[in-house]
Every structure is written in C-alpha cells, then in structure tokens.
Amino acid sequence: MPTPSMEDYLERIYRLIDEKGYARVSDIAEGLEVHPSSVTKMIQKLDKDNYLIYEKYRGLMLTNKGKKIGKRLVDRHHLLESFLQTIGVQEENIYRDVEGIEHHLSWDSITCIETLVEYFNRDASRSEELMRIRAELDTE
C-alpha cells in the first residue's frame, strides 16, 4: 500500500492525466506545493514500486496499478467532500478538512461513509431532518 505522501502524488498525477492527458513534474510540484526535485524523487519511488513508468526527460505514464489506485483516491476525495456537504460543513472548510482526514480513515470507514451518503441521497427529507437536528443543537 502506498504511504499518505505517495497517495497525494498518485491522486495529483491521476487528476492531471485525466484533465490534460499528461502530467509534468512542474504541474505536480505546483499542485502539491512542493519543489520539483521532491517530485522527481517521489516519481522515481513510484516507478520503482510499479505505480508508474518514468523515463527521465520523456515523462511518465501510470501503470494499471497506478491508475487503479489513483482513481480510488480521487473517488475517496469526492466521497468525503460529498459527506461533509451532506452533514452541513461550511463550503470554505470542506477542502481543507478532506485533506486533513482522507489518509487517516480505513477503507472500512470509507465504505460506511459511502453507505451513509447514499442513505441521505435516496431521500431528501433525511438531510432536512439532519439539518433540523443540527440547528436545534446549535441553539442549545
């Protein structure tokens, strides 16, 4: 399993390739707010661990393993954003909160959150009831 840092890189690379068709070291560095030399070191490690294929000066390509993990990480990120929106977290806090918790939850917890989000999505009155309860607790 990749480390949390490796996950950040894989998620960013997956997103870049999905959006632009390629991922450059400079784009990865900018998105993760790290130095290009740090990106190069991590890319070499991800290459060694068979998450991607990297050829110096020629670019990189995710392996099937890297694509699978990257998609799973992007999906996890979207799920956690949806979950926080569902429970009423203020929009300006959601991205930072997701970044703070996404690496610390087990896949079992992620699956349970996915089920809970689906439960609320199937019936809008459930979300309304949740917000009513939240408002009541805020006034106590």
Side-chain angles (χ1 to χ4, degrees):
M1 273 315 278
T3 65
S5 180
M6 291 168 75
E7 286 183 347
D8 285 338
Y9 279 85
L10 285 168
E11 181 179 352
R12 183 69 189 143
I13 292 166
Y14 183 89
R15 285 178 188 267
L16 283 166
I17 291 172
D18 188 51
E19 293 165 9
K20 299 170 76 170
Y22 60 90
R24 296 184 312 200
V25 168
S26 59
D27 296 328
I28 299 165
E30 181 182 323
L32 295 175
E33 299 177 350
V34 297
H35 294 296
S37 59
S38 298
V39 174
T40 300
K41 286 178 189 170
M42 181 59 80
I43 285 174
Q44 290 168 344
K45 177 160 182 38
L46 292 169
D47 181 36
K48 181 178 165 269
D49 291 347
N50 299 312
Y51 291 105
L52 55 81
I53 298 167
Y54 173 64
E55 293 182 33
K56 196 172 183 178
Y57 307 116
R58 300 195 77 205
L60 60 93
M61 184 175 79
L62 288 171
T63 62
N64 286 337
K65 176 181 173 182
K67 287 177 192 172
K68 182 179 177 184
I69 296 287
K71 180 176 181 352
R72 190 174 186 195
L73 296 170
V74 168
D75 290 347
R76 175 182 71 184
H77 192 98
H78 289 310
L79 172 66
L80 292 173
E81 284 179 345
S82 179
F83 171 65
L84 295 180
Q85 288 167 343
T86 298
I87 63 172
V89 173
Q90 294 178 1
E91 235 10 85
E92 63 267 16
N93 296 327
I94 289 177
Y95 181 80
R96 186 185 70 245
D97 288 352
V98 168
E99 288 297 314
I101 64 173
E102 67 184 340
H103 301 297
H104 302 286
L105 294 172
S106 68
W107 287 103
D108 180 49
S109 293
I110 295 294
T111 300
C112 291
I113 289 170
E114 183 176 33
T115 303
L116 185 61
V117 168
E118 180 61 25
Y119 171 79
F120 283 107
N121 287 341
R122 286 187 182 187
D123 184 346
S125 68
R126 294 171 180 158
S127 292
E128 293 165 7
E129 176 70 5
L130 178 65
M131 291 306 114
R132 186 186 63 71
I133 293 168
R134 182 174 178 205
E136 286 174 10
L137 292 173
D138 285 347
T139 60
E140 291 180 357

